[in-house]
Amino acid sequence: MNATTRTVEILADLIRFDTSNFGNGRATGESEAAEYVVAFLERIGLEPTIVTHTAAGEPDRPSVIARWEGTDQSLPPLLVHGHLDVVPAKAEEWSVDPFAGVISDGCVWGRGAVDMKDMDAMVLATVEDAIERGARPRRTIVLAFFADEEAGGVRGSHHVVTERPDLFDGVQQALSEVGGYSVTLSGKRAYMIQTGEKGLMWLRLTAQGRAGHGSHVNHDNAIVKLARALVSLGDVEWPVELTPTTRLLLDEVARLTGSDPAEDPHVIGDRTGFAARFVNASLQTTVNPTVLDAGYKHNVVPQSATALIDVRPLPGQNVDVLASIRELLGPDIEVSVDVDDIGFETTFDGDLVDAIAGVLARHDPGSVCLPYLLSAGTDNKALQRLGIRGFGFVPLRVPDSFDFPGMFHGVDERVPLESLEFGQKVISDLLLTY
Ligand SMILES: [Zn+2]
């Protein structure tokens, strides 16, 4: 069976494991998905290692790591990693069952179809196909399938990096998610290669007040205090600041679209079409309230009110952004930090970038590669702790009319079959020739 057909089959299989990650140690299905990957790797002759995070009252969180030995041991190994968990999906919002692995209208549908069981499937199909053909990569490829990426990787990549750094011995560079998709700029196809990530801070704001009867005069209402704080936080216009990556990206977009590189950065960002959602968020710090929690009865003023805030600082700015948020909110709002993870950038050069450009030139002649700074986070943050330089490259040539960035964590998440076919061929070429 050819590797494209296998990619689709494996992707549908993986989607059928509901590996929803609800955060804070609440998750489902990862063990079953990891068992599938382990059995797959063992069947094709690899020897996977399972590193499991365990904690009382929580499900086991297994990550799977395996080495595919290359022919040239003098070359440093390349890490290719994906995650097996997904964000939850509300079935009633979808036009298909999000965990059925439906194939229709030229797409594979389901939670994880682009984030990121597509890459997991393309990699597994590639290794299986190569081994069946007797082909081997030049350098050793370390394969990793992590748990818990969608909750910051504490029980997945961070746990593996802490417990078993030896599994990544010699690895200097890594390939993973949220990059590699195509955009069309003035008729020219460009592939977005992720060369950095913004920081991530998940804050918890709490206002305290005077609890009491809902019919009384109350000038110390925790909900009102919290609401005021959220309005002032929401009104902040975080400044646009270009980093080396975003400066290079915008210059290239301006050049390709024949526009002025000195234009408003968001206007240039808009020229990347659907990718503008990612690009414009990489030009500044973003701060979004995402959860509110207060009260328990219509006629009771609660003593406290809480909001969760998702903060994505530009690389290197976590400390400063937190200080400005605390200053803005003042002493009445308690700010606690639930998650604090680094942002980083690498340069858009080196032998792996050259190899990616070369493979894309062979499979999509005339296309170009652009660097970009991811506005979200991936397991590359954990691997950064080992000094591993991470890139986002899930090669997918997507139709111009397809809102690919909108698929991430979106309703009716799906990936075109033609994109998977292209991607698997590119991955195969890259892994075997790099
Ligand atoms: Zn992902």
Side-chain angles (χ1 to χ4, degrees), residues 83 85 114-116 149-150 176-178 377-379 408-409:
H83 59 84
D85 62 323
V114 306
D115 186 9
M116 62 169 300
E149 192 277 340
E150 296 292 359
S176 188
E177 61 177 332
V178 218
T378 76
D379 286 323
F408 285 80
H409 302 191

